[in-house]
Amino acid sequence: MTSTELLYSDPLAAATAAAAEIAQRTGVASHDVALVMGSGWVTAADALGAPAYECDAHELTGFFAPAVEGHSGKVRSYEITEGGKTLRALVFLGRTHLYEGKGMEPVVHGVRTAVKAGCKVIILTNACGGINTSFKVGQPVLIRDHISLTAASPLSGATFVDLTDLYSKRIRTIVKSEDSSLAEGVYVHWRGPTYETPAEIAMMRTMGADLVGMSTVPEAIAAHALGAEVLGISLVTNAAAGITGEKLNHEEVIAAGKAAADRMGALLKSTIPKLI
Ligand code: 8IG
């Protein structure tokens, strides 16, 4: 069986295999925390220092090569020492999205691998559109809850998983104690690859949404279902459709992400040791 066949036929076995490869390659039996760095967040990872290990994700069982510019498809292992504590962080630079059309398994393979590699906390970052007009471009927002407009779940079968504390209140409290200026919001998952119409954004606002993007939700559910705690951070990189009257473009997203990367990298570095 190829690595891709294993991913689709037995995704947890593929994640377990990838986790064993990470342990073997890094020489670290167990990692503590994982970060998935979305569009524009890749440079924030550099604030964590020099990685102890790095490889192309697709060298590991079940990972595909990346499809989108700004998503480099690397896996890194970092040793983070702060305040007398040392821990190991697994960082995924880039992710697979539902809009790529490969199905759900590749979308959640990274977080499943991270949990199988020992990670108890999964930090999911993304770039998103701002629906709440009090959010400015370049502003990071903690995800408090989500609305799934794809209705696509990484789970099948009679597993009725509670999602009332999906985006861990414990972790959000710690992060806000590091940076009290951080806002929170409700993230809507939109399949894409089209952005929304102005009418769809009006609908989302009426539903109680603050942020809209094409990732994070399946990964949060998959990580939570395996027992990990989840932190979601969205970087608002454009006003959602119909808010400013401007059209949306991917270059705007990349530029806003780079500008906020230093601040976010420093926040992650100081916060991570306090989460474990
Ligand atoms: I960056 O406005 C980014 N990702 N669905 N809508 C959706 N995804 C996004 C947007 C946006 N901006």
Side-chain angles (χ1 to χ4, degrees):
M1 202 188 301
T2 67
S3 144
T4 303
E5 284 165 358
L6 180 64
L7 175 70
Y8 287 106
S9 65
D10 191 345
L12 287 180
T16 302
E21 290 156 14
I22 288 169
Q24 202 246 326
R25 285 165 174 251
T26 60
V28 178
S30 183
H31 283 74
D32 303 297
V33 54
L35 297 96
V36 179
M37 308 309 263
S39 300
W41 281 82
V42 171
T43 48
D46 296 334
L48 300 176
Y53 180 80
E54 177 180 282
C55 69
D56 288 325
H58 66 261
E59 293 172 26
L60 304 171
T61 294
F63 286 86
F64 286 82
V68 180
E69 185 201 343
H71 294 195
S72 73
K74 302 271 186 201
V75 178
R76 292 179 181 168
S77 173
Y78 288 86
E79 186 175 283
I80 300 177
T81 303
E82 283 258 324
K85 218 191 239 181
T86 297
L87 52 78
R88 293 296 294 228
L90 204 54
V91 175
F92 296 89
L93 301 183
R95 55 157 58 89
T96 303
H97 299 82
L98 273 186
Y99 61 70
E100 293 172 43
K102 298 189 183 85
M104 183 58 88
E105 279 71 24
V107 172
V108 296
H109 184 56
V111 296
R112 283 177 168 158
T113 296
V115 177
K116 294 295 180 189
C119 297
K120 303 274 185 283
V121 171
I122 308 288
I123 300 175
L124 302 171
T125 68
N126 65 52
C128 74
I131 297 174
N132 183 326
T133 51
S134 76
F135 296 159
K136 303 288 173 257
V137 167
Q139 179 177 351
V141 179
L142 302 185
I143 300 177
R144 173 170 58 79
D145 204 346
H146 79 227
I147 296 171
S148 171
L149 283 186
T150 70
S153 176
L155 310 178
S156 315
T159 46
F160 305 109
V161 177
D162 176 85
L163 298 182
T164 48
D165 190 33
L166 178 54
Y167 302 93
S168 164
K169 176 125 183 142
R170 182 189 79 86
I171 294 183
R172 280 184 281 129
T173 302
I174 294 170
V175 175
K176 284 192 291 184
S177 72
E178 284 296 301
D179 183 343
S180 59
S181 74
L182 282 168
E184 294 191 345
V186 173
Y187 178 94
V188 179
H189 185 207
W190 182 253
R191 181 189 182 276
T194 53
Y195 292 116
E196 299 70 31
T197 63
E200 286 158 348
I201 292 299
M203 172 191 75
M204 291 173 183
R205 183 185 299 109
T206 304
M207 288 173 148
D210 301 298
L211 310 161
V212 57
M214 303 178 195
S215 69
T216 302
V217 163
E219 293 151 278
I221 293 170
H224 181 81
L226 291 178
E229 266 186 296
V230 174
L231 170 68
I233 316 179
S234 286
L235 184 65
V236 177
T237 53
N238 59 273
I243 289 182
T244 64
E246 299 293 316
K247 289 196 177 178
L248 275 50
N249 71 82
H250 191 65
E251 286 65 41
E252 176 186 37
V253 170
I254 301 282
K258 284 194 175 123
D262 287 354
R263 179 182 166 202
M264 286 303 95
L267 176 72
L268 291 172
K269 185 171 166 55
S270 65
T271 306
I272 286 169
K274 300 184 173 151
L275 303 181
I276 300 291

